[in-house]
Amino acid sequence: MFEFRPIINALLRAKSGAILLLMQIAITTAIVSNAAFIINDRIAYLEQETGLPEQDLFQFNMMIFGKNIDLAKQIEVDESLLRSIPGVIDAVYINAVPLSGGGSGGSYNLLPSNEKSPSINASYFRADSHVLNTLGVELVAGRDLNESDVMVTSDVSELPKVALVTQAMHDEMFPQGSGLGKTIYRRDNAIKIVGIIKLLKGPWLQDERRDRSLIFPQVRPSSFQKFLIRTEPNERAAVMRRIEDVLLAEYPDRVIDVIKGLDQLKAEYVAEDTLMVRMLMVLITVLVLITALGIFGLTLFNINKRLKQIGTRRALGARKSAIIRYFLVENTLICSVGVVLGSAGALWMGAKLMALFSLPSLSVSYVIVTGAFVILMSLFAVIGPAKRAADISPSIATRSI
Amino acid sequence: MLNMNGISKVYQTEMVQTHALRDFDLQVNEGEFIAVTGPSGSGKTTFLNIAGVLEPFTQGQYLLDGVDIGKLNDNQRADIRNQKIGYIFQGFNLIPDLNLYENVEVPLRYRGIKAAERKRRIESSLEQVGLASRAKHLPQQLSGGQQQRVAIARALAGKPRFLLADEPTGNLDSLMARQVMELLEQINRDGATIVMVTHDPELARRAPRNIQVVDGQIADFSLYQGNPAAVVGA
Ligand SMILES: Nc1ncnc2c1ncn2[C@@H]1O[C@H](COP(=O)(O)OP(=O)(O)OP(=O)(O)O)[C@@H](O)[C@H]1O
Ligand SMILES: [Mg+2]
């Protein structure tokens, strides 16, 4: 009924056209499955949960001038000014902004530096007790920072006695049991963990520290300042427009810039990945289209080359459905071999990519799905030409020489 | 067996209408061997294609074995071709990428015959045309006469009762032509009805019944025998 054997025999005797198609299918399968895998991996990265209400947060930088200005006092004044703007939920003076690509980090141990203990790298934020509310992140254990925790100092070596840590940081330092209330060390400074944050992505999404952060209740006054503000939903744009006027009215000798939403900062940080995803998607689409066109064209070419043969088959009693089936079977045979070769190629390519670009290893399910998709696509590409072939009149058998 | 009544065939192209057959009447009885002759373009192939259910006709009635061909759908027509009719073409029409065995197998597969029975039939019909030993060869490895014999084997394997041949010897030299003719005569003696179009008057004379198609109609044979010029001039 499906004529497998004669079709295979005929293909083996007239290989050239089939081999070209087969190679195209194999290459498409190999590239598309890897590209699809990378796209998926990148999309998961781009769409990862940050724990932050990115749409409601924004930051700005400020440079403040004036010899006689009391920076600590001015920061407090500015903070309360910002917090009083209608639409603002909370605002803090902060050393670094999550997702922005810029921040600070350090290493932390379970024991002071004169005793040996494993160290964990993490990023840290410094801000006053409004920080948790400003970030809009969730506390899962312990307590929030309060005003009495906050240490205002310009001394770089001084660290506050308490901190909040993220769950990921906590789990790294205390794989067994709870670390809440326990002490960790930054060099010889003891820091007590008073609260655990469910999820807070740090400044660097691409870094191993992305989930590991501490928040110190500390204000270190400087004339180069950074503020983070959270607004009510949909109020952000309006607040962002007012910032400069409000602050300059309070104290004019300062320059404000980089007023940017967190979503925008994140988009800038991941721009390269976004571009790669788009390019890979274009590549996949183009490849699939070219392959589909190739199958379509080759089938048309085969039909035109075999007009008389098709007419003869019809004259010998082939129904239209038998002609359509012939081309579908022939094409599927070629594509299946191509997909098998392509799958092997995909796994090989995946291993190479993994070694070269430290990508995660290609999962076999991508190869299987891509292979099935390529075969399905080839069936769609061949059905039109095959129907045309079936419409060839049997009288072609006698009419053409 | 074959009964055509007032068959006409019009080919319609953008520019012209060609009346390839006009009011064509013919009766063929079981077991006959008929040679069809006539000038080029007179409608012989058209007649054969309609008789072989390869082409639809414009008007008239065609009964084959009592079946009204004009009333059949495409699948039924394919099945009639497959089961009742064997074709032999001027150009042999073997499938170049299939070996002789597989070529003969083509119509048997369309009929859904089981592999063992197919093998038996293919071997016996290749035997009958004297090419059993070359079953694994490809068509292009054979001479024209041999290829035509394979085509005949293919037509015979389905055991058709009705064999149609359009200039089966047109591409062959006279020796091979005679061999093919002898084969056809043998097949006819075995019971098949044969209609053969030929340009070769010598071959035509060997057939028990001759008809001549002129200008899309059957010419009056007695008139032709009496005064050939009368027909040619028509
Ligand atoms: N598909 C077609 N479209 C248009 N006209 C056609 C078609 N097939 C045949 N004809 C015309 O029909 C007429 C009969 O053609 P046919 O092939 O039956 O002649 P023939 O007797 O077989 O000629 P020959 O001896 O040269 O093979 C011719 O005028 C031919 O040009
Ligand atoms: Mg002809």
Side-chain angles (χ1 to χ4, degrees), chain B residues 166-205:
Chain B
D166 195 352
E167 300 185 36
T169 60
N171 287 2
L172 304 178
D173 64 32
S174 58
L175 179 68
M176 287 192 176
R178 218 165 33 244
Q179 284 176 357
V180 165
M181 186 63 189
E182 276 158 18
L183 197 52
L184 290 178
E185 285 166 340
Q186 180 57 47
I187 293 161
N188 177 242
R189 275 195 296 279
D190 293 344
T193 310
I194 299 182
V195 176
M196 173 183 78
V197 170
T198 183
H199 273 127
D200 184 339
E202 200 184 316
L203 290 186
R205 261 199 301 281

Side-chain angles (χ1 to χ4, degrees), chain A residues 198-353:
Chain A
K198 187 175 172 193
L199 177 66
L200 165 61
K201 294 285 175 183
W204 312 287
L205 277 179
Q206 226 147 31
D207 194 273
E208 54 148 4
R209 287 167 293 181
R210 62 182 155 270
D211 288 310
R212 302 201 295 256
S213 298
L214 296 96
I215 301 180
F216 291 121
Q218 186 181 37
V219 175
R220 188 183 287 173
S222 150
S223 46
F224 297 98
Q225 306 179 342
K226 201 180 270 295
F227 286 83
L228 183 67
I229 294 113
R230 178 153 72 99
T231 68
E232 304 280 359
N234 302 323
E235 297 288 333
R236 191 179 70 179
V239 175
M240 282 166 89
R241 277 195 299 274
R242 290 190 58 190
I243 287 298
E244 221 170 338
D245 293 344
V246 169
L247 289 171
L248 291 181
E250 207 289 319
Y251 177 80
D253 287 346
R254 45 188 171 186
V255 178
I256 295 160
D257 71 346
V258 199
I259 307 175
K260 281 184 178 171
L262 247 67
D263 45 355
Q264 192 191 346
L265 288 171
K266 180 182 164 191
E268 287 168 10
Y269 181 77
V270 300
E272 245 175 68
D273 296 272
T274 312
L275 182 68
M276 177 165 85
V277 165
R278 294 211 178 115
M279 274 166 55
L280 283 176
M281 280 176 166
V282 170
L283 173 79
I284 285 188
T285 314
V286 168
L287 253 180
V288 165
L289 276 180
I290 288 177
T291 307
L293 267 177
I295 295 168
F296 184 81
L298 194 83
T299 313
L300 274 185
F301 173 75
N302 269 336
I303 287 166
N304 283 331
K305 210 175 64 181
R306 293 190 254 178
L307 280 181
K308 186 170 165 194
Q309 176 187 145
I310 295 162
T312 304
R313 285 178 181 276
R314 290 278 284 141
L316 296 175
R319 292 180 173 195
K320 287 187 175 187
S321 54
I323 300 295
I324 293 177
R325 205 158 50 225
Y326 184 97
F327 284 99
L328 291 185
V329 168
E330 183 184 69
N331 176 74
T332 307
L333 283 171
I334 297 172
C335 289
S336 303
V337 177
V339 162
V340 168
L341 291 180
S343 301
L347 293 173
W348 176 84
M349 205 167 128
K352 286 271 173 244
L353 286 173

Side-chain angles (χ1 to χ4, degrees), chain A residues 399, chain B residues 11 13 18 20 39-46 167 199:
Chain A
R399 292 291 183 194
Chain B
Y11 288 110
T13 54
T18 311
S40 185
S42 59
K44 303 182 296 295
T45 297
T46 305
E167 300 185 36
H199 273 127

Side-chain angles (χ1 to χ4, degrees), chain A residues 61-115:
Chain A
N61 295 344
M62 185 158 71
M63 196 147 83
I64 194 155
F65 306 99
K67 283 211 167 55
N68 303 320
I69 192 164
D70 177 349
L71 282 173
K73 188 137 187 300
Q74 186 61 49
I75 287 166
E76 234 175 280
V77 169
D78 288 344
E79 276 185 329
S80 49
L81 191 60
L82 290 169
R83 288 166 192 160
S84 70
I85 297 175
V88 170
I89 293 175
D90 215 340
V92 281
Y93 169 72
I94 197 166
N95 68 313
V97 168
L99 317 182
S100 67
S104 318
S107 61
Y108 302 86
N109 298 66
L110 283 174
L111 298 170
S113 60
N114 55 350
E115 296 170 67

Side-chain angles (χ1 to χ4, degrees), chain A residues 3 5-6 9-10 13-14 308-309 312-320 322-323 393-395 397-399, chain B residues 11 45-46 49 54-55 74-75 78-79 81-82 87 89 91 93 95 97-99 102 105 107 109-110 138 154:
Chain A
E3 300 184 75
R5 209 172 40 82
N9 289 346
R13 290 176 194 129
K308 186 170 165 194
Q309 176 187 145
T312 304
R313 285 178 181 276
R314 290 278 284 141
L316 296 175
R319 292 180 173 195
K320 287 187 175 187
I323 300 295
S393 163
S395 66
T398 53
R399 292 291 183 194
Chain B
Y11 288 110
T45 297
T46 305
N49 279 356
L54 296 175
E55 277 184 61
D74 194 80
N75 281 346
D79 294 348
R81 292 196 289 271
N82 185 244
Y87 300 88
F89 307 97
N93 292 25
I95 293 167
D97 295 331
L98 299 181
N99 65 28
E102 291 159 348
E105 194 177 29
R109 277 185 180 265
Y110 290 136
L138 291 174
R154 179 175 65 185

Side-chain angles (χ1 to χ4, degrees), chain A residues 51-53 57 89-92 94 125 127-146 164-166 195-200 215 228 230:
Chain A
L52 296 157
L57 285 165
I89 293 175
D90 215 340
V92 281
I94 197 166
F125 298 99
D128 72 15
S129 58
H130 288 257
V131 62
L132 208 64
N133 188 42
T134 305
L135 286 167
V137 293
E138 199 182 322
L139 206 60
V140 283
R143 63 164 177 88
D144 194 354
L145 302 171
N146 58 45
L164 305 176
V165 300
T166 59
I196 298 170
I197 298 161
K198 187 175 172 193
L199 177 66
L200 165 61
I215 301 180
L228 183 67
R230 178 153 72 99

